[in-house]
Every structure is written in C-alpha cells, then in structure tokens.
Amino acid sequence: MSGLFISLEGIEGSGKSTQAAFLADYFRAKGFSVVRTAEPGGTRISLGIRELLLSTDNTGMTPLTELLLYNAARVQHIREVIAPALDRGDVVITDRFSDSTTAYQGYGRGIDLKLIDSLDLIATGRLRPHLTILLDVAVAIGLKRNRAANKTDRLELEEVSFHERVRKGFLSIAAEEPGRIRIVDCSGDLEAVSRRVYAAADAFLCTLRA
Ligand code: TMP
C-alpha cells in the first residue's frame, strides 16, 4: 500500500466532517488524489449496518452487538474502499476509524480494551492511519453544536457522562501514540480550527520528506 491514510477523530460535534472536507481540498490543491470517506459507512453494506447502529429504534442493542457491528462495517469499508485507494497511491481521509471503537465501545461502554484490540486485529489486520487528527472539544460545546444541527441518533442521545468518558478515552489513546495522533483544539471558529488542522497535516508531510 503506497497511499496515505489519515483519520479524523473526536466526540460528537467536534466538527470532523467539515474539517475532513477542508482537508481533502487542501490535499487536492497540493496535487494529491484524495478519497474522502466516513465510518460507519463508505459502502452500501456498511451504510446498512450504520442504520442499524444509529436508529433510535434499537435502544435494546447490547454493547457487544454494537462492537461487532462497528467492526463488521469496518471490514467491508477497508475491503471495498480504503485498501484499493491506498493501493492506487491515493490519500484516504476518513471521518472516524478504529480509535472511535476504542473510545466509544471501550472507554464509553466499558468493554474490555483487550477484547476490542483482539477484534481490531481480526477486522483491520492492524491497518492504522499514518496520521490521526483528534479534534478535541468540551462535551458541553460539542453536544450543543450537534443539537443545534438537529443531530440526535442513538449514540448522541447517551448521557453526558458517556460522552465525557469517550472524550477522556480519545485523549488517553492520543497520549499513548503521540507520533500518530495530533490533538487539535476545535473550540474556536471554523477557520481557526482549519488552520490548525492544515498545520498538523503539513507537519506530518514534513516527517515524510525528512
Ligand atoms: P458520526 O456521527 O461521526 O457519523 O458517527 C456515528 C456514531 O457512531 C457516533 O456517535 C460515533 C459512533 N461510533 C462508535 O461508537 N464506534 C465506532 O467505531 C465508530 C466508527 C463510530
């Protein structure tokens, strides 16, 4: 695989989708061929699984079912979209990847992190983004942004303490892998945040040239 794999991560309302779109344009302007995608999703089958996961009809879903479904959606996403794009040498920018599973199902739901890691090995074969940008924001601000945008799916409706655990989870993952994960404060306006995201991308590109 010769492409570049980049993920954006963060809690609800951290602005990942907007920043992913800006970042895709940024890389295109530098002459890269870019594939922009998102989890759970990216393929017809993965989008079907997304519907199951996020429907507020499915409040009875067990944490283990949830974990397996996120992984199932990821297997299909890698096979159909991510791996072929990386093989072509493209830049793949995904809104969420494995770190979301560790943060939400591990830190948020309390599933054993070792189990999460074993499943991740099966699902991804340890495919890891070369760069992960963690958009960090206070839970109160993120949830307020999402409610203003009328986003209320099954996970967004979880209590505030769940989202606090998820945020802490992301920060713990980032502390463990400072080489891969760069934390960007996304509490300010869109332009200020995008400048920080571009700076993180530039710093990463410099490490490739070094
Ligand atoms: P989105 O709102 O960013 O599209 O993500 C969908 C929801 O799924 C969001 O609440 C985060 C959650 N999620 C997990 O709980 N585990 C995962 O592995 C992924 C990819 C997303």
Side-chain angles (χ1 to χ4, degrees), residues 5 37 39 77-78 80-87 92 97 127:
F5 186 26
T37 186
E39 290 207 349
H77 188 208
I78 293 170
E80 286 190 45
V81 177
I82 297 175
L86 292 176
D87 283 341
V92 175
F97 195 65
L127 173 67

Side-chain angles (χ1 to χ4, degrees), residues 101-114:
T101 308
T102 307
Y104 281 82
Q105 282 65 54
Y107 288 86
R109 297 284 189 225
I111 299 178
D112 181 13
L113 294 178
K114 286 201 195 96

